[in-house]
Amino acid sequence: MRRVLGILAVLFLSFAGIATAQAGVSVKVDIAAQRMQVTTTDGEVYNWAISSGRKGFRSPNGVYRPTRLEKNWYSRKYGGAMPYAVFFRGGYAIHGTNAVGALGRPASHGCIRLHTANAAKFFALVKKHGAGQTRIALNGAADDGLSQFAKASGGAKSKLAKAKARERAAVAQSRKAPSWNAAREQIFLRPALPVDAFGYQPYYPNQRWR
C-alpha cells in the first residue's frame, strides 16, 4: 500500500511539474503593425496598440525574458513616468504611458509603450506566471519616414538616381526659352492687323532681323 501511495505521489508531483513548466506568457511585439499580442497557457489572449521607438531610438528586435519589474518607475534620463514597467533588456521596458494619443505609431525612446490599463494587466500576468516563464519577442521595423532612395539597396539606388537625373533633365528642357527662329515663326503666324490699326507695323520681306 505504501508503495502504491509513493508511486501516486511521484506521478502527482511529475504532472504538477509539467504543468508548471508549461505555464507562461508569450508576447509578440509587431513593430511594423505597432501591435502587441499576449497569450497565456491559461487561454488568455490580448492584442494591444503600442508605441515603439521613434526614428533614432529604434526598439531592439530579439527574444528576451523579463529582467525586473517596477510598478512605479521614473526615467531620470528622459524625464518621464514608466508605470508598470517590465524591463527586458537594460533600460528597455514594456510600460504604461500617458501619451495614449500616440499609440499606434512610433513615439518612444526605444521602450514599448502601452495604455496604462493594459500595462497593469501585462504586469500582473508576468507576476502571476513568473519572469522565467515569460517570453518577449520583438520583430519588424517601423516606417520612420525614410525616402525611397534611402531605403533602397545599392543597385536599386543606382536606378533611382538615373531616373531622377532623367526627370530633372526633362524639367530643365521644358523650362528652356524658345529659340529665336521659333519665336519669329510664332510672330509670323499671328493674324495680320488692318493697315489703319493702332500699332500696325508693315512687313518687308527683305528686311533683316536683328
Side-chain angles (χ1 to χ4, degrees):
M1 185 66 180
R2 290 181 180 177
R3 185 176 181 181
V4 173
L5 290 174
I7 293 173
L8 291 174
V10 170
L11 290 174
F12 175 79
L13 292 174
S14 298
F15 283 119
I18 292 172
T20 302
Q22 290 178 342
V25 182
S26 176
V27 180
K28 295 180 180 179
V29 179
D30 188 336
I31 302 297
Q34 293 292 288
R35 305 291 299 184
M36 172 173 145
Q37 180 178 315
V38 180
T39 57
T40 73
T41 49
D42 295 339
E44 296 180 81
V45 180
Y46 304 94
N47 197 303
W48 298 317
I50 67 164
S51 282
S52 65
R54 63 179 183 265
K55 186 177 180 180
F57 298 92
R58 293 187 177 182
S59 303
N61 283 348
V63 179
Y64 308 96
R65 300 279 186 188
T67 55
R68 74 179 195 275
L69 281 70
E70 300 287 351
K71 187 175 181 180
N72 296 294
W73 189 258
Y74 186 85
S75 172
R76 287 176 291 181
K77 183 176 182 179
Y78 296 113
M82 299 167 58
Y84 301 102
V86 177
F87 289 89
F88 58 88
R89 175 183 166 181
Y92 293 100
I94 299 173
H95 62 81
T97 180
N98 291 327
V100 293
L103 293 175
R105 67 177 186 271
S108 77
H109 293 98
C111 288
I112 303 300
R113 294 178 180 175
L114 292 171
H115 190 289
T116 301
N118 297 334
K121 180 63 179 178
F122 176 62
F123 188 91
L125 288 174
V126 176
K127 286 196 71 173
K128 174 184 176 181
H129 293 276
Q133 300 300 322
T134 301
R135 180 180 182 273
I136 301 172
L138 279 71
N139 187 50
D143 184 3
D144 53 11
L146 290 176
S147 66
Q148 184 182 7
F149 182 80
K151 292 179 180 178
S153 60
K157 280 186 177 180
S158 177
K159 292 181 180 179
L160 286 171
K162 290 179 180 178
K164 198 69 177 177
R166 288 194 296 268
E167 182 181 341
R168 286 196 297 266
V171 171
Q173 182 66 29
S174 66
R175 291 177 178 174
K176 286 178 65 176
S179 65
W180 173 244
N181 289 333
R184 185 171 61 178
E185 289 176 2
Q186 290 297 321
I187 293 173
F188 290 160
L189 290 174
R190 290 178 181 174
L193 293 173
V195 175
D196 58 347
F198 178 77
Y200 170 75
Q201 296 292 332
Y203 168 62
Y204 301 100
N206 296 327
Q207 181 180 359
R208 295 186 62 185
W209 290 86
R210 299 181 183 276

